[in-house]
Amino acid sequence: MENTLAMLWSAKLGVSPVGVRDDFFELGGDSLLAADLLMDIYRDLGVEIDASVLFLSPTIADLVEAMPAGDREVDAR
């Protein structure tokens, strides 16, 4: 899950590499990119995340931790 999210963040932000403790917004993310990222996460992983979760948990590690346990184990499709 973390690797897939890092790839999505990297593609969205144009930053590489992205670590699990890197802050989405400190890397250049904004609310529009966040909305796009959440759509990409849903499309690629089938996991629906509310925007408030990303704003409150802006690192990959925190975002995965904030997901329901069943969604954390989802493999990329």
Side-chain angles (χ1 to χ4, degrees), residues 30-56:
D30 58 28
S31 59
L32 294 175
L33 288 173
D36 284 346
L37 175 67
L38 295 173
M39 287 189 299
D40 291 347
I41 291 170
Y42 181 72
R43 179 196 67 223
D44 292 358
L45 299 172
V47 176
E48 191 168 351
I49 299 170
D50 189 74
S52 65
V53 174
L54 178 59
F55 282 93
L56 295 172

Side-chain angles (χ1 to χ4, degrees), residues 6-7 9 23 34 37 50 58 66:
M7 290 187 312
W9 286 31
D23 185 295
L37 175 67
D50 189 74

Side-chain angles (χ1 to χ4, degrees), residues 8 10 12 19 23 32 75 77:
L8 290 172
S10 180
K12 190 61 58 190
D23 185 295
L32 294 175
D75 291 326
R77 294 180 179 149

